[in-house]
Amino acid sequence: MSLSSFRPLLRAQLRSYPANGHAAFTPHIRKLVFEYCDKWPSSANTRTYIHNHIESLARSYPHVEIVVKQRTYKEPIIRGFYANDREKVIALNGFEVTGVAKKVQLLLDSSGAKIRALKKAVESTTEAPRGIWSGMHADRPRL
């Protein structure tokens, strides 16, 4: 076997993709970015949330990178970056401090997957040829 028959092994091919299993849990979210304006009143509640709660949030979720950026003369937003290379953005203008906390928790609990309508009642990895059996639609047994 000659050396020309071997393909080069590139560094990007050595990357392993994390997966959840019985031995480990990989959180979906990897980064939260808070963007706010220091001058606009619509960012006041976001600034209050950042001032009062950002440190406890960072301690509660050590696996999430938390970034705070000033966004001059723009409405406040929060961006969530996920392990599946997706990004979700939520506008925070008009929310109270508790509303901002709920939106942060929404991003933390989200998987980052695209929202899609479920067309079937049951989702399965393998499709059944006869459909899904239900005892509610079966005939009553006779004795």
Side-chain angles (χ1 to χ4, degrees), residues 58-95:
R59 287 180 199 267
S60 300
Y61 297 95
H63 59 276
V64 179
E65 178 184 357
I66 297 177
V67 178
V68 178
K69 289 172 52 176
Q70 283 195 358
R71 204 176 152 201
T72 311
Y73 304 115
K74 303 228 182 201
E75 299 293 341
I77 62 169
I78 182 171
R79 292 178 194 270
F81 294 92
Y82 295 91
N84 58 358
D85 294 332
R86 290 192 55 85
E87 171 186 350
K88 287 190 178 181
V89 180
I90 297 178
L92 297 176
N93 52 335
F95 286 115

Side-chain angles (χ1 to χ4, degrees), residues 10-18 83 85:
L10 302 174
R11 186 174 186 174
Q13 294 172 339
L14 297 175
R15 181 177 176 194
S16 64
Y17 293 97
D85 294 332

Side-chain angles (χ1 to χ4, degrees), residues 49 53 96-106:
Y49 178 83
H53 301 285
E96 294 294 324
V97 177
T98 55
V100 172
K102 286 181 183 177
K103 293 300 176 182
V104 168
Q105 194 61 43
L106 177 80

